[in-house]
Amino acid sequence: MRTKDLVYVALFAAVTAALGLFPPIAVPVLAVPITAQSLGPMLAGAILGAKRGALAIALLLILVAIGLPLLSGGRGGFGVFLGPSGGFLVGWVLAAFVTGWLFERSWSTLTYWTGAIYTFLGGVVALYTLGIGWLAVAANLSLFQAAAGSVAFIPGDIVKVLIATTVALAVKRSYPIIEERSDG
Amino acid sequence: MMSLYSPGETALHRLPAGTKLLGLVLAGTSLFFVADIVVLSGALILVCGAYLVANMTVKTLFAQLRPILWIVLILFVAQAFINGWQAGLVVVLRLMNLILLAALITLTTRVSEMTDTLEWAIQPLGWVGVDPRKISLVISMAIRFIPLISQITAEVREAQRARGIEKSIVALAIPVVIRTLKMADDIADAMEARGFDADPR
């Protein structure tokens, strides 16, 4: 990794932490508040690519694990990983990786809608697969029950997919970080 | 930067971070194999006792549970409906044990000590090409970047307000991300100009 890559990794760990400072938006129709923080993994993957994006989110989780209150609502410490929603935190790393990998693969032909689909596959499909699996084990539920308990968050996450895609594509136009792969 | 550490001089504060983390891994793993309400309640009493040993107040103890209170309640009700109240109690007790134990370690261990332990624990990764010193470097950089990003966000927001653009997260996020990326490039250049080498051979 070049020096630049190390700084990018630290930067997006910090960006995701800073997103946690935004107060959660309560949407009357939905039962759950929407936090800006899960934009972080989508942006990290879509802007930095698979490896650096996943490392940035892993770094944030390390900071949280060693006791910094960087998750939205000032949460932090080891306990958050062992809670029922711990899988969604670890899933952020996977979300950034999948989003980044898909963006890298089609970097030169990316349109808004393919970008949104890729961000959805990483930031929602991959994330929920891990999160729901973990919830089922930690809370002793069947996979179906765990999934049913998580669907309330999906509308908010789709809004975030659209926001992240808009931001990532604007950054791609004016300050691209993922270089086009020569073998692509 | 605020941390969740709560200063003290008790035996639990003095115990090496590595020992505490190993204890957590062992306790956490065994808790998943226990489904007996009496044993889990006993474990919970022990964990609460540990909070007393660490000189924590009852208020601190409850503050650790507050973030998961609703999830735990919902889980209990769901489990009680599906598998009976005993199953619900087992899940709730197990989660409370895990959360309280993990939180106790965070409360009694300094962030600097955690970082040192982490650096020590990942030394074996040196064999597969991961430089532990780089991990410490990116940790310090990320901690330093958080207030910088807040500052840049405030500046951009002010500039946009002056031009009458307000309340659009997209309009705010794009210039913030681009400005921080430029800042990252400048920092990387400055580091290399001062002789930092990311891949020493």
Side-chain angles (χ1 to χ4, degrees):
Chain A
M1 282 190 117
R2 304 166 303 157
T3 310
K4 237 175 212 182
D5 299 326
L6 292 177
V7 185
Y8 288 156
V9 165
L11 177 68
F12 270 79
V15 165
T16 308
L19 282 168
L21 299 173
F22 281 92
I25 308 158
V27 181
V29 196
L30 303 171
V32 293
I34 299 180
T35 63
Q37 196 156 40
S38 45
L39 275 171
M42 301 177 191
L43 288 175
I47 294 173
L48 296 184
K51 190 181 171 193
R52 291 173 295 190
L55 283 173
I57 302 305
L59 174 62
L60 172 77
L61 297 185
I62 289 175
L63 293 172
V64 167
I66 64 178
L68 296 172
L70 299 180
L71 295 181
S72 59
R75 291 170 307 131
F78 246 84
V80 294
F81 295 98
L82 300 175
S85 55
F88 286 96
L89 289 179
V90 179
W92 279 358
V93 180
L94 184 70
F97 187 88
V98 172
T99 308
W101 185 74
L102 291 169
F103 265 68
E104 279 171 13
R105 270 181 43 129
S106 56
W107 187 240
S108 55
T109 56
L110 219 51
T111 64
Y112 182 79
W113 289 111
T114 53
I117 289 166
Y118 293 159
T119 313
F120 179 80
L121 287 176
V124 178
V125 176
L127 175 70
Y128 278 72
T129 307
L130 220 106
I132 289 170
W134 191 302
L135 177 63
V137 174
N140 212 1
L141 297 166
S142 76
L143 279 176
F144 179 76
Q145 290 156 352
S150 310
V151 289
F153 292 91
I154 290 183
D157 280 340
I158 290 175
V159 174
K160 282 179 255 183
V161 164
L162 299 177
I163 294 174
T165 312
T166 312
V167 175
L169 289 182
V171 173
K172 176 181 184 266
R173 275 192 300 275
S174 52
Y175 209 83
I177 303 293
I178 303 174
E179 274 130 359
E180 209 195 318
R181 293 202 310 188
S182 51
D183 59 341
Chain B
M1 161 73 38
M2 231 186 63
S3 95
L4 300 169
Y5 175 67
S6 163
E9 279 299 321
T10 69
L12 274 167
H13 282 86
R14 288 197 303 268
L15 208 63
T19 315
K20 282 186 264 194
L21 290 173
L22 190 67
L24 176 68
V25 171
L26 291 177
T29 316
S30 22
L31 275 171
F32 265 97
F33 293 102
V34 181
D36 187 289
I37 292 175
V38 179
V39 178
L40 285 171
S41 309
L44 190 61
I45 291 168
L46 280 178
V47 172
C48 292
Y51 271 73
L52 292 182
V53 172
N55 234 345
M56 298 292 158
T57 60
V58 178
K59 201 180 148 203
T60 314
L61 195 152
F62 281 114
Q64 308 309 313
L65 291 174
R66 198 170 303 133
I68 59 153
L69 192 66
W70 286 108
I71 304 179
V72 163
L73 268 177
I74 292 167
L75 279 179
F76 177 75
V77 173
Q79 283 286 349
F81 264 108
I82 301 159
N83 303 320
W85 65 271
Q86 292 97 331
L89 204 56
V90 164
V91 169
V92 169
L93 283 172
R94 190 185 281 154
L95 277 175
M96 282 170 70
N97 268 312
L98 281 172
I99 304 281
L100 284 176
L101 257 185
L104 187 58
I105 293 178
T106 307
L107 285 166
T108 59
T109 316
R110 279 200 177 80
V111 168
S112 56
E113 206 192 330
M114 285 283 199
T115 316
D116 291 346
T117 309
L118 181 75
E119 208 176 317
W120 171 82
I122 56 178
Q123 267 174 357
L125 289 179
W127 294 98
V128 290
V130 179
D131 187 347
R133 288 168 311 161
K134 270 192 216 165
I135 312 258
S136 321
L137 176 76
V138 289
I139 286 178
S140 337
M141 272 201 290
I143 291 175
R144 179 69 191 91
F145 281 164
I146 297 167
L148 272 180
I149 293 167
S150 304
Q151 193 191 325
I152 291 177
T153 310
E155 281 171 19
V156 171
R157 189 180 277 171
E158 208 160 289
Q160 292 186 336
R161 198 171 291 156
R163 277 173 276 145
I165 318 167
E166 252 177 289
K167 284 193 174 173
S168 162
I169 189 168
V170 176
L172 183 66
I174 294 167
V176 168
V177 169
I178 293 174
R179 276 183 66 174
T180 54
L181 281 171
K182 280 184 181 150
M183 176 191 80
D185 284 340
D186 290 344
I187 289 171
D189 288 342
M191 284 166 71
E192 282 178 348
R194 282 162 183 76
F196 177 82
D197 188 357
D199 289 303
R201 294 268 171 250

